[in-house]
DNA sequence: ATTAATTTTTAGTCATATCTAAAAAAATAT
DNA sequence: ATATTTTTTTAGATATGACTAAAAATTAAT
């Protein structure tokens, strides 16, 4: 007789796993205590406490003073939370008239609702979306995400054309800035000129040309148009 | 200069307020500590602890040894939680293929999501439903519920006709029993006969006659058909 | 009106998740 | 190589929400 007891993961633990998941995606193998603390707006000592609990539950690999990485189980749990977060964001925008700068806060709560059926049916209801309203990929049930070859707008050369496929910074402030300049997912952009002194660039959005700072161009993901 | 600071109500506090709200609906003025403890499957001492916190926040009126009642503020908060619970139940059944015996557990989680816009838009999206999948009324934004003149099936006389408008017991077991006998909201029922010795009754549902116990007829709400 | 039973409250404990301050280890600089 | 700075961990404290056991108040019974 074998017992498979479904591991209970608290809301707090889910948030830590998600933070480690996002930080780990930057190609780093081990994530530092301080990085987690900063991302979660908490203290390093609190992070250490939690890491021990997560290690105890085999959700992270942890060596003192050497940072943490997710185990297979931990990564799957984190991906599930991200999947829920992004599906809910799609729901809010597509069905409930939310704008893309309003969804994050609510999705932070909804991502912790526990119900396999709920999230599966939501996926069906939304017709299996692959990306959230910010252009971020939605992990599938197994935690796999479709690789996209998005690049940062600031890396493009003058005269190149591209399409907006995401925002790196998804703060309400930045998203509202994009709205103001009519930049949304799918918007066509052409590079008109680049200023060497401050690295700002002038781009054409629709019929209007606007100048955007390096900070802005660094936070817009685009797909190069090879036409 | 006046400060209106939005009172923070925890998830746990919301659940207590909801329990007091439901218990208070039975025409009782003050709700006893033990009644709350039983409803919430907790200990009386825990209830006393929480009651003090709720009284401190002016959400309940509390006199030692004399039970509690909701203040205006407490009643509004409780009604808001019930509103959310029932709107989510409608969503799950209408949009996500849940059956009426599957929704409660998930709604228990969803009812605590905090977002005015979310619940208002959900209301719009569902086209302003007045009742949840179990026939229970959905409070409006001000906490008011539409009075329905529903009666208990067991009170009807032989040959009377009625329509099912709700279930008093909304446990999965009971709801599945109703499903099995094709009794749902809106189902037409006629009383064929009543047995005096065990108070069971035979009713006609569609074309088939079935015998139901007093326990069952006590838990089905109906509206008398005056045709 | 006492006594007995029930209900409710208090006192003390525990687990979770947080924090501050201090100690220990690791990384960096001289 | 040693000293300084930074990072991380430990130790101890606090708040929430729950529990058990015992005391106090209320209600019911004789
Ligand atoms: Mn988000
Ligand atoms: Mn997003
Ligand atoms: Mn319910
Ligand atoms: Mn219901």
């Amino acid at each position: 007789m074998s017992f498979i007891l479904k591991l209970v993961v608290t809301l707090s633990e889910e948030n830590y796993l998600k933070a480690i998941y996002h930080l780990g995606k930057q190609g780093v193998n081990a994530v530092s205590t301080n990085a987690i603390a900063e991302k979660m707006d908490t203290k390093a000592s609190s992070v250490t406490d939690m890491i021990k609990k997560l290690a105890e539950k085999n959700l992270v690999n942890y060596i003192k003073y050497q940072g943490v990485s997710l185990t297979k189980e931990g990564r799957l749990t984190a991906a599930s939370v991200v999947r829920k977060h992004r599906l809910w964001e799609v729901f809010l925008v597509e069905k409930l008239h939310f704008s893309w700068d309003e969804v994050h806060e609510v999705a932070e709560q909804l991502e912790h609702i526990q119900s396999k059926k709920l999230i599966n049916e939501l996926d069906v209801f939304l017709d299996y979306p692959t990306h959230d309203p910010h252009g971020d990929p939605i992990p599938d049930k197994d935690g796999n995400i479709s690789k996209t070859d998005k690049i940062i707008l600031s890396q493009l050369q003058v005269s190149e054309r591209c399409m907006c496929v995401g925002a790196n910074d998804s703060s309400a402030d930045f998203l509202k800035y994009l709205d103001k300049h009519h930049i949304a997912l799918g918007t066509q952009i052409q590079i008109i000129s680049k200023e060497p002194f401050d690295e700002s660039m002038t781009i054409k959005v629709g019929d209007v040309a606007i100048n955007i700072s390096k900070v802005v161009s660094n936070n817009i993901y685009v797909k190069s148009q090879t036409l």
Side-chain angles (χ1 to χ4, degrees), chain A:
Chain A
M1 190 112 113
S2 111
F3 295 91
I4 300 171
L5 58 110
K6 178 62 185 148
L7 188 68
V8 176
V9 182
T10 69
L11 184 147
S12 197
E13 286 168 347
E14 283 190 346
N15 281 332
Y16 275 94
L17 290 174
K18 190 173 54 135
I20 298 165
Y21 178 86
H22 286 310
L23 290 168
K25 275 287 144 88
Q26 266 70 56
V28 191
N29 12 25
V31 177
S32 77
T33 301
N34 260 7
I36 299 169
E38 187 176 3
K39 172 144 247 189
M40 302 201 59
D41 196 25
T42 185
K43 300 291 149 137
S45 56
S46 303
V47 174
T48 303
D49 285 347
M50 183 55 84
I51 283 172
K52 286 178 182 166
K53 273 179 248 174
L54 294 174
E56 193 59 44
K57 291 184 175 181
N58 285 306
L59 293 165
V60 297
N61 306 117
Y62 171 51
I63 308 168
K64 263 193 189 180
Y65 292 100
Q66 315 229 145
V68 288
S69 61
L70 295 171
T71 61
K72 184 170 280 188
E73 172 98 29
R75 186 160 33 252
L76 197 65
T77 305
S80 159
V81 175
V82 171
R83 172 173 164 77
K84 288 189 277 181
H85 182 105
R86 291 179 179 165
L87 279 173
W88 280 117
E89 286 191 341
V90 173
F91 171 72
L92 295 173
V93 168
E94 302 269 302
K95 307 291 182 182
L96 300 195
H97 312 112
F98 276 64
S99 54
W100 69 345
D101 56 285
E102 293 176 313
V103 296
H104 185 72
E105 192 191 354
V106 185
E108 283 294 303
Q109 299 177 62
L110 287 165
E111 70 188 8
H112 301 290
I113 304 292
Q114 319 255 204
S115 166
K116 280 247 173 71
K117 173 155 186 159
L118 172 61
I119 206 65
N120 288 342
E121 291 290 344
L122 188 63
D123 195 26
V124 172
F125 184 59
L126 299 172
D127 201 20
Y128 312 102
T130 57
H131 292 79
D132 79 3
H134 313 105
D136 294 312
I138 298 172
D140 68 19
K141 287 174 207 178
D142 303 314
N144 302 309
I145 58 171
S146 61
K147 264 273 186 40
T148 50
D149 47 354
K150 65 187 178 189
I151 52 176
I152 288 169
L153 178 57
S154 59
Q155 291 176 339
L156 291 199
Q157 302 306 314
V158 170
S159 91
E160 279 194 90
R161 293 161 185 280
C162 62
M163 185 180 77
C164 175
V165 296
N168 179 39
D169 177 344
S170 60
S171 69
D173 276 352
F174 183 60
L175 298 175
K176 277 178 185 157
Y177 171 90
L178 295 182
D179 280 343
K180 196 168 65 187
H181 295 295
H182 306 101
I183 299 172
L185 293 192
T187 301
Q188 303 289 324
I189 296 172
Q190 184 177 12
I191 318 297
I192 304 295
S193 63
K194 297 176 89 167
E195 299 296 335
F197 67 97
D198 67 348
E199 298 187 84
S200 73
M201 55 165 59
T202 300
I203 60 177
K204 204 162 93 180
V205 179
D207 285 341
V208 293
I210 57 168
N211 185 262
I212 60 174
S213 71
K214 184 75 183 299
V215 178
V216 170
S217 61
N218 263 342
N219 279 290
I220 296 175
Y221 288 127
V222 296
K223 199 160 82 181
S224 185
Q225 301 290 79
T226 48
L227 73 129

